[in-house]
Amino acid sequence: INAVGAMSPEEAAQRAAAAAAAAARYEQLKVECQAWCIGLGLLGTVSCHFLYSRDVAISYALGAASGLTYLRLLTRTVDSVGAAGMGSTLGQPRLLIPVVLALCYNRWNLLYAEQYGVTLQLYALLVGFFTYKLAVLGRQGLELLSELSEPEQRAAGQASAAEAGGVDGDSAMSLDRIFIRKVMSE
């Protein structure tokens, strides 16, 4: 930044490149978290089917599907924070997902359980719903373990990127940490 407060073209280009790299990393993080959520949901559903019963497996699958929907709406909320600022938490539709899940559990068991032969289990629905948190924690935990297991390699990579005028790893990781902090606070 010069004396007037304007940014040099080189610095503007570097900041634009850093922002583009951070945005690409964030998009990759969203896809990975959703893939982890789907994978853990399928694994949990199959496990429930073999270890418990068909009703528990169906309940877990419905909970996991609603957790994936919640995660997708949460990423949409995080996307809007960068674009338009933080909105009201009360007006967000993702907060209705657990309520709708509980209402569906109650109504299904009262009206349709005998007709279709499937009785939903509340605990399995809730555990399935919170699979999205397990997916986010698992994905970030593996990344943390890989960072801790290779500190010299990462430090050397950051030093070479800084020397080349590239983007350092910490600026790209800040969006990851914001996303994880938001998911963990929900």
Side-chain angles (χ1 to χ4, degrees), residues 18 21-23 25-26 29 139-140 143-144 146-147 154 158 167-181:
R25 176 73 184 120
Y26 174 66
L29 173 70
R139 188 232 166 261
Q140 287 302 109
E143 185 171 320
L144 180 64
S146 69
E147 287 177 7
R154 183 167 185 238
Q158 285 182 349
V167 180
D168 63 347
D170 292 333
S171 65
M173 290 300 293
S174 63
L175 281 176
D176 291 351
R177 290 191 177 101
I178 290 169
F179 178 76
I180 296 303
R181 195 174 308 129

Side-chain angles (χ1 to χ4, degrees), residues 46-69:
V46 170
S47 299
C48 285
H49 181 68
F50 286 116
L51 296 175
Y52 297 106
S53 68
R54 179 180 60 108
D55 290 349
V56 173
I58 291 171
S59 299
Y60 186 90
L62 289 174
S66 62
L68 178 63
T69 304

Side-chain angles (χ1 to χ4, degrees), residues 26-41 62-80 92-98 128-140 176 178-186:
Y26 174 66
E27 291 299 321
Q28 179 186 4
L29 173 70
K30 288 192 313 186
V31 170
E32 288 175 5
C33 284
Q34 290 174 7
W36 270 76
C37 190
I38 291 169
L40 289 175
L62 289 174
S66 62
L68 178 63
T69 304
Y70 185 88
L71 181 64
R72 291 178 61 95
L73 290 174
L74 182 62
T75 58
R76 211 179 279 171
T77 301
V78 172
D79 290 345
S80 70
Q92 298 180 4
R94 75 174 192 277
L95 298 177
L96 291 175
I97 291 178
F129 175 74
F130 287 114
T131 301
Y132 83 93
K133 283 196 182 244
L134 183 63
V136 170
L137 288 173
R139 188 232 166 261
Q140 287 302 109
D176 291 351
I178 290 169
F179 178 76
I180 296 303
R181 195 174 308 129
K182 179 76 174 170
V183 168
M184 295 307 295
S185 70
E186 292 294 321

